[in-house]
Amino acid sequence: MQANLRRKLEALAERREELERLLSDPGVIADADRFRNFSREFSQLEPVANALANEAQARRDLANAEAMRGDPEMRELAEEEIAAASARLEALDDELMSHLVPKDARDEGGLYLEVRAGTGGDEAAIFAGDLFRMYARYAERQGWKVEVESASPGEHGGYKEIIARVEGRGAYSKLKFESGTHRVQRVPETESQGRIHTSAATVAIIAEDISDIEVEINPVDLKVDTFRSSGAGGQHVNKTESAIRITHVPSGVVVESQTERSQHANRDKAMKRLKAMLVEAEIAKREAAQAQDRKLQVGSGDRSQRIRTYNYPQGRITDHRVEGLTLYDLPNVLEGNLDALIERLSREHQADELARMTESA
């Protein structure tokens, strides 16, 4: 490991010791916000401290084993222990490097999931519905809450567009690599000749937690329309114009909310999503230059990028951002078993970030 990277790790360990002292300070304990923030940072640094402690122990084990080499009766055992300690140090070096990858402050929060039908007509809308169901089932397995904020059903099933809020710890960290164009290859139910059609849908993952980034929205830049709700609400539906549509004129971003019974509540929800979308656009601008230099485009957030193909005849899923990432487990994945894909994408992203960090060190 390079010396400057080692110094960064040592600085993180020192910060953890400082936080340990601060968390016992009566002044900090009395301040709920500071105590919560320090506690969160302390827990994030705990794995670094543990890995450094394990590395120190492995170095001691290696030194003890090398000292035994001079004893003929202990040489064979010493060689075994040297090999084990060396392998442990190599693994710990990789683990410590992974702790240096910058953490995304949004990772622990929830997100907005947007799925829209692309090319392919009715089949694209049906596929968009399949994708939303896949993500909803994955969220259910994780114990997250999914709340649909707006939906436009397709004429023959699925959705032309569906937008939902996904609430749960770590939701964004798991699904943030899903943004992009998803392509499906299958025989539509309406196809009488049995020909395989290709359709597409786009997915956008927008972080809900925007506390670390400020955006200013000038009220004069907003065009607000009201309309009658077409969703849940019983007798309230279609009787009052409680639904809200807000257009941010400078950016062209449009958000709607119609799930609440009051216009005020719908406006609050719409404004919250508008802010999240504007922040996401700003972050995308900042990361665009970096993304051009990356070997892998995992996590670039480019919604026009074709990221994955779902081939029904072969039961195959191929993620085009990672070489060799193909699974022959299509039915299982569509039921919400996304762990194999998500874990591989996370590892590739981490490796990409480590390579970029090492090159610039």
Side-chain angles (χ1 to χ4, degrees), residues 4 19 108 167 218 271-272 277 287 304 326:
N4 59 333
L19 288 167
E108 289 302 301
E167 182 182 358
N218 190 331
M271 284 298 297
K272 187 175 181 181
M277 293 180 71
E287 294 181 344
S304 65
T326 295

Side-chain angles (χ1 to χ4, degrees), residues 97-234:
M97 287 287 288
S98 72
H99 290 307
L100 289 173
V101 175
K103 299 293 188 294
D104 190 333
R106 302 169 294 169
D107 276 354
E108 289 302 301
L111 57 96
Y112 293 102
L113 166 66
E114 303 182 355
V115 185
R116 294 179 175 86
T119 57
D122 292 334
E123 173 64 9
I126 293 171
F127 178 52
D130 293 338
L131 287 176
F132 178 75
R133 177 174 172 272
M134 177 182 75
Y135 292 125
R137 293 208 165 188
Y138 177 73
E140 181 182 350
R141 294 174 187 274
Q142 304 300 312
W144 303 335
K145 179 183 176 182
V146 178
E147 180 184 3
V148 174
E149 296 212 336
S150 66
S152 177
E155 293 181 7
H156 297 280
Y159 298 97
K160 296 176 183 176
E161 175 187 276
I162 183 165
I163 299 170
R165 177 172 173 260
V166 180
E167 182 182 358
R169 184 172 182 179
Y172 183 73
S173 68
K174 296 286 189 180
L175 294 179
K176 63 182 178 181
F177 302 126
E178 294 300 302
S179 289
T181 299
H182 297 241
R183 186 177 68 166
V184 64
Q185 297 172 329
R186 63 185 176 188
V187 178
E189 294 181 4
T190 56
E191 170 57 57
S192 59
Q193 303 298 319
R195 293 173 297 185
I196 296 174
H197 287 224
T198 299
S199 304
T202 60
V203 173
I205 303 294
I206 301 169
E208 181 184 34
D209 184 0
I210 58 173
S211 56
D212 292 343
I213 301 175
E214 292 294 330
V215 291
E216 293 186 8
I217 300 178
N218 190 331
V220 302
D221 291 334
L222 302 180
K223 179 176 181 290
V224 181
D225 299 306
T226 60
F227 57 100
R228 293 182 179 180
S229 174
S230 59

Side-chain angles (χ1 to χ4, degrees), residues 293-330:
D293 297 331
R294 293 178 184 175
K295 175 184 169 185
L296 300 169
Q297 292 297 310
V298 173
S300 67
D302 183 356
R303 299 183 200 176
S304 65
Q305 179 190 10
R306 188 190 71 181
I307 66 168
R308 193 175 297 151
T309 295
Y310 303 72
N311 185 291
Y312 274 67
Q314 297 178 19
R316 169 174 55 84
I317 293 181
T318 299
D319 196 292
H320 304 290
R321 296 165 293 180
V322 180
E323 184 177 356
L325 181 45
T326 295
L327 303 177
Y328 288 88
D329 195 22
L330 179 59

Side-chain angles (χ1 to χ4, degrees), residues 4-45:
N4 59 333
L5 297 180
R6 170 68 59 179
R7 287 193 293 272
K8 289 182 180 180
L9 284 169
E10 292 170 351
L12 291 175
E14 291 171 3
R15 173 59 177 168
R16 177 191 170 277
E17 292 178 1
E18 180 186 10
L19 288 167
E20 192 170 22
R21 292 192 295 270
L22 287 169
L23 288 170
S24 61
D25 186 314
V28 172
I29 294 173
D31 188 329
D33 288 339
R34 290 183 70 201
F35 187 81
R36 181 173 58 255
N37 291 336
F38 286 159
S39 295
R40 180 184 300 175
E41 186 180 356
F42 181 85
S43 66
Q44 291 173 345
L45 293 176

